[in-house]
């Protein structure tokens, strides 16, 4: 929590507050900022925005950051929970000859099936991590910009 500073208790309080979004304009603004965050591009070293106009939209991010992070987290969890019910692809059927050979002990038993993790869960997890890291980078850029303005 280096951007906000504070203890673990402060973080718990901030996280609890981030779950509460009043309706109407506040939720619309939050959704717009999250969509902007997903689309915004940073340079290779994450030291500047590719589009200078994004600096203006980044100005609102520090106040919305906890709520945006919770929004990203909650939507990822919901998507993963929905995808967790996907069934693994059907196993390749073992031929009659192979089954007979296994019963006779000539061939070893087939390896146990690997844990099935749907691609959609992997994509959603990657998306959440990419956007959470990008949020941190945007906050860092915004903090640097505010320090330059004060100097």
């Amino acid at each position: 929590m280096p951007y906000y500073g504070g203890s673990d208790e402060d973080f718990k309080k901030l996280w609890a507050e981030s779950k509460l979004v009043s309706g109407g304009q506040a939720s619309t603004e939050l959704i717009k900022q999250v969509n902007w965050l997903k689309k915004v591009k940073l340079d290779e070293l994450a030291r500047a925005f590719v589009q200078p106009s994004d600096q203006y939209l980044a100005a609102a991010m520090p106040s919305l950051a906890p709520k945006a992070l919770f929004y990203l987290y909650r939507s990822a969890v919901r998507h993963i929970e929905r995808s967790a019910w996907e069934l693994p692809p059907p196993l390749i059927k073992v031929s009659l000859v192979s089954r007979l050979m296994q019963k006779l002990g000539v061939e070893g038993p087939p390896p146990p099936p690997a844990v099935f993790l749907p691609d959609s869960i992997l994509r959603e997890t990657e998306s959440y991590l990419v956007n959470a890291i990008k949020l941190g980078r945007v906050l860092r850029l915004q903090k640097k910009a505010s320090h330059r303005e004060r100097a």
Side-chain angles (χ1 to χ4, degrees):
M1 208 168 84
Y3 189 84
Y4 291 94
S7 66
D8 288 344
E9 284 302 316
D10 293 336
F11 176 77
K12 288 177 185 175
K13 183 179 176 188
L14 184 63
W15 189 249
E17 290 172 1
S18 69
K19 296 176 183 180
L20 307 172
V21 178
S22 57
Q25 187 63 30
S27 62
T28 301
E29 187 64 31
L30 175 63
I31 291 169
K32 283 182 182 179
Q33 283 297 110
V34 169
N35 288 334
W36 169 80
L37 178 68
K38 290 178 179 180
K39 294 176 188 173
V40 71
K41 296 204 183 325
L42 303 175
D43 68 0
E44 292 176 12
L45 299 174
R47 294 186 180 169
F49 295 101
V50 171
Q51 297 292 328
S53 60
D54 286 329
Q55 185 66 43
Y56 171 75
L57 293 169
M61 194 49 87
S63 62
L64 290 174
K67 293 183 185 305
L69 186 60
F70 181 76
Y71 181 92
L72 290 168
Y73 168 78
R74 189 64 194 137
S75 63
V77 167
R78 286 181 178 160
H79 183 81
I80 289 169
E81 286 174 347
R82 283 191 304 268
S83 297
W85 295 102
E86 288 183 31
L87 297 175
L91 298 174
I92 299 171
K93 292 188 176 186
V94 181
S95 70
L96 176 62
V97 174
S98 295
R99 286 187 301 208
L100 289 173
M101 297 296 272
Q102 286 173 358
K103 290 196 188 251
L104 294 173
V106 176
E107 289 182 19
V115 175
F116 175 68
L117 198 60
D119 288 341
S120 59
I121 290 178
L122 297 174
R123 281 191 307 274
E124 189 63 32
T125 304
E126 179 184 14
S127 174
Y128 169 73
L129 292 173
V130 165
N131 288 315
I133 290 169
K134 192 187 300 184
L135 175 61
R137 290 177 174 168
V138 166
L139 290 175
R140 187 178 65 213
L141 287 173
Q142 195 57 32
K143 189 173 186 178
K144 286 180 183 179
S146 67
H147 284 300
R148 282 190 296 247
E149 289 175 7
R150 290 182 195 158

